[in-house]
Amino acid sequence: MKKKYAINDVSLFQGLPEEQLEALSDIALKRVFQKGEEIFQAGDVAHGFYVVITGRIKVYRAALSGKEQIIHIWGPGDALGEVPMFQGSTFPASAQALDASELLFFPREAFRQLIRNEPDLGMNMIAMLSGRLRILVSQVATLSLKEVPQRLAAYLMLLFNSQEDKQTLQLDLAKGEIASYLGTIQETLSRTLKKMSEQGIIEVKGRQIRLLDIDRLEGLASGLKQL
Amino acid sequence: MKKKYAINDVSLFQGLPEEQLEALSDIALKRVFQKGEEIFQAGDVAHGFYVVITGRIKVYRAALSGKEQIIHIWGPGDALGEVPMFQGSTFPASAQALDASELLFFPREAFRQLIRNEPDLGMNMIAMLSGRLRILVSQVATLSLKEVPQRLAAYLMLLFNSQEDKQTLQLDLAKGEIASYLGTIQETLSRTLKKMSEQGIIEVKGRQIRLLDIDRLEGLASGLKQL
DNA sequence: CAAAAGCCCTGACCTAAATCAAATATCATG
DNA sequence: CATGATATTTGATTTAGGTCAGGGCTTTTG
């Protein structure tokens, strides 16, 4: 079904079990907006929040100069207005459709009701959000504190630790994607992998990586050793 | 009563019925920290979370090299250390008092008991966490994509936009702290401020900054222009 | 008020990693 | 299988910003 499919891609609901996604999709209302149409205004009471299915939504505030200040452009999978909605306050900014767009609307009362009847859903959402915060905190720290070889080593350790096979690893992303996840570029990643190979820490065959020296890799990841 | 009064200003507890606030205040413990005192360390097992009543708290991660990345600065009404309440058992980052501060401590089990009975508290928790998720997502993007002048410009714009006075700004943090928040070091921040001054964008007098060319600053922040 | 401590600025230097350019390898598709 | 498209590697070069060192300011405290 269309709505449920869309809900899987909402970052706010990531990782929730199937049945809870279904419950959520039951209370969602589809709303269609024309290009240029207002979705809500700053100061409006947030009686619900929106999730973008298709199109792009501009969230903005009128700056003092009269000029408008764009705060975000949200696209498919992004939620808007969820913070004031959960809090029961007003929208701090206005939103307008940049394209013809389809959104899902989650009414506050229905949502409350849902959580009341199914406390697990609330707790699950809280747990999922907490888990993602933990990851993001590490990512922020990693980006500014560690150099590329450390970041890469930490990434590889993570992959190795989250699978059975402690010898060989199949990369799930293109190397360019991994580079960008690690906050660097393809070329640098390639050179770093090469250095690790030269030092006998790993062996790289396309997307397949064989772990040769786990201690060394761990040392690199923790920042105690260097390439 | 002191504790209950303080609890009213906590955004996490907003909109809750009187009796819930009382229940919350019953389980809260007041803790006082000196300026510079550690509240918890990344990796410590968490037995509860904190809410700031007075003072400012720095949440950060430190590298072995000594360099630190500030993740948040929280003030009165903000919560900290809530991630391990619902996911995992340890704090993902460290926290230290920037001023002499009073915090309320909410023990893990007692709080989880409360949230189970009060769906609105769950909603507020979701609101807080989803707000934080946004902050961190944009912090990751900022750190990995933007260069220091852009990050600094964006930071200054944020400060200017969140206050009345659009001319002069009083920095609330030591410059070294700002550097660490922006993912760089004191020296680089100092040089960047100097460049901006030389170009007539701002004027720096100690902790006071006067905005001379808002368009230029905005251009820098958005990455369209360069220093 | 004087001394100490912390904070901030500046210069010289260095290095990690980005950029630019090009070659090669891998993959997908008619 | 040929052909283009996409991904990856490699080398040469540049540069942002980190490191180290020294000095001036400012704030705190006895």
Side-chain angles (χ1 to χ4, degrees), chain A residues 147-148 184-185 187-188 191:
Chain A
E147 322 203 305
V148 171
T184 183
I185 57 173
E187 293 94 318
T188 301
R191 287 184 244 267

Side-chain angles (χ1 to χ4, degrees), chain B residues 147-149 184-185 187-188 191:
Chain B
E147 321 203 307
V148 171
T184 183
I185 55 171
E187 292 95 318
T188 301
R191 289 184 241 265

Side-chain angles (χ1 to χ4, degrees), chain B residues 61-125:
Chain B
R61 284 265 289 249
L64 296 135
S65 67
K67 192 183 173 192
E68 70 176 34
Q69 170 68 42
I70 293 182
I71 293 162
H72 304 288
I73 304 277
W74 297 128
D78 294 324
L80 62 142
E82 73 289 347
V83 164
M85 290 285 293
F86 304 99
Q87 202 276 337
S89 61
T90 58
F91 293 110
S94 308
Q96 188 188 21
L98 282 181
D99 311 312
S101 306
E102 291 173 297
L103 309 191
L104 288 181
F105 176 77
F106 292 88
R108 182 181 164 109
E109 274 321 308
F111 186 81
R112 286 178 66 111
Q113 205 56 45
L114 283 186
I115 213 173
R116 231 166 266 138
N117 303 325
E118 182 50 62
D120 278 346
L121 184 52
M123 294 271 284
N124 283 355
M125 200 81 207

Side-chain angles (χ1 to χ4, degrees), chain A residues 153-181:
Chain A
Y155 179 76
L156 292 178
M157 284 303 300
L158 193 78
L159 292 183
F160 276 113
N161 285 131
S162 65
Q163 65 167 21
E164 304 296 291
D165 187 348
K166 300 297 180 200
Q167 298 274 300
T168 320
L169 177 74
Q170 192 74 19
L171 296 179
D172 51 335
L173 292 174
K175 289 188 183 150
E177 307 281 356
I178 294 175
S180 133
Y181 178 74

Side-chain angles (χ1 to χ4, degrees), chain A residues 100-112:
Chain A
S101 306
E102 292 174 298
L103 309 191
L104 288 182
F105 178 74
F106 293 84
R108 177 177 160 85
E109 273 319 308
F111 204 94
R112 252 172 61 122

